[in-house]
């Protein structure tokens, strides 16, 4: 790995971790329920790890922060793959890290929807989580410039 790719990986990891932390904080700071969904999904992802590896107990806050950093590193790996295969050279430095973080939360959302669907408990959470997952993946594609959407007047 050369120095430039190491710097971009670290930068993508930092951006992705910051986006994930902001999504988590959004649920605490905003009382509008649709905006609280990403926070809930991040907690659900961590709870799945707790089920697999045991309760975090008193170290919950520290382990949750490590979980967010770990997701940020995974997102940086996704951003690296996208960067290496992308033909777009004029993309802002922060966008791929942010897009990868949004995509990870979208995938967590879709996995949660699938698990609820398989358990057959209720159908409404499947629709909400599935819709949120698709929306987050679409937002990720837009932020990462995979899909171009004209937002302003055409020049």
């Amino acid at each position: 790995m050369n120095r430039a790719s190491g710097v971009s990986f670290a930068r993508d990891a930092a951006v992705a971790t910051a986006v994930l932390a902001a999504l988590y904080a959004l649920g605490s700071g905003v009382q509008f329920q649709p905006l609280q969904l990403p926070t809930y999904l991040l907690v659900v992802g961590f709870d799945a790890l707790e089920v697999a590896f045991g309760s975090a107990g008193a170290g919950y806050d520290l382990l949750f922060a490590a979980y967010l950093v770990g997701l940020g590193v995974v997102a940086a790996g996704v951003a690296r793959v996208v960067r290496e295969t992308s033909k777009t050279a004029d993309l802002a430095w922060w966008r791929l890290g942010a897009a990868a973080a949004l995509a990870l939360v979208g995938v967590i959302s879709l996995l949660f929807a699938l698990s609820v669907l398989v358990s057959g408990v209720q159908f409404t959470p499947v629709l909400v989580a599935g819709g949120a997952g698709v929306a987050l993946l679409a937002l990720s594609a837009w932020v990462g410039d995979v899909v171009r959407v004209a937002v302003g007047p055409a020049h």
Side-chain angles (χ1 to χ4, degrees):
M1 172 167 44
N2 63 25
R3 186 180 186 305
S5 67
V7 169
S8 65
F9 184 85
R11 181 185 61 218
D12 289 340
V15 168
T17 302
V19 168
L20 292 166
L23 287 173
Y24 179 74
L26 187 65
S28 303
V30 176
Q31 296 305 314
F32 183 57
Q33 286 185 346
L35 294 179
Q36 293 175 336
L37 192 56
T39 300
Y40 176 74
L41 294 168
L42 287 169
V43 171
V44 164
F46 184 71
D47 288 348
L49 291 176
E50 278 190 304
V51 167
F53 297 109
S55 176
Y60 184 90
D61 292 337
L62 180 64
L63 290 174
F64 188 80
Y67 163 72
L68 290 181
V69 171
L71 283 179
V73 170
V74 170
V78 170
R80 169 176 278 183
V81 170
V82 170
R83 181 176 284 113
E84 289 173 354
T85 60
S86 176
K87 294 175 178 69
T88 305
D90 61 339
L91 197 59
W93 63 269
W94 57 270
R95 287 181 65 175
L96 282 180
L102 292 169
L104 278 180
V105 179
V107 168
I108 290 170
S109 183
L110 292 175
L111 289 173
F112 174 69
L114 182 63
S115 71
V116 172
L117 182 64
V118 168
S119 70
V121 177
Q122 294 179 5
F123 195 64
T124 302
V126 173
L127 292 175
V128 171
V134 169
L136 284 165
L137 288 173
L139 181 60
S140 170
W142 179 67
V143 169
D145 205 27
V146 173
V147 175
R148 291 184 184 230
V149 178
V151 193
H155 293 276

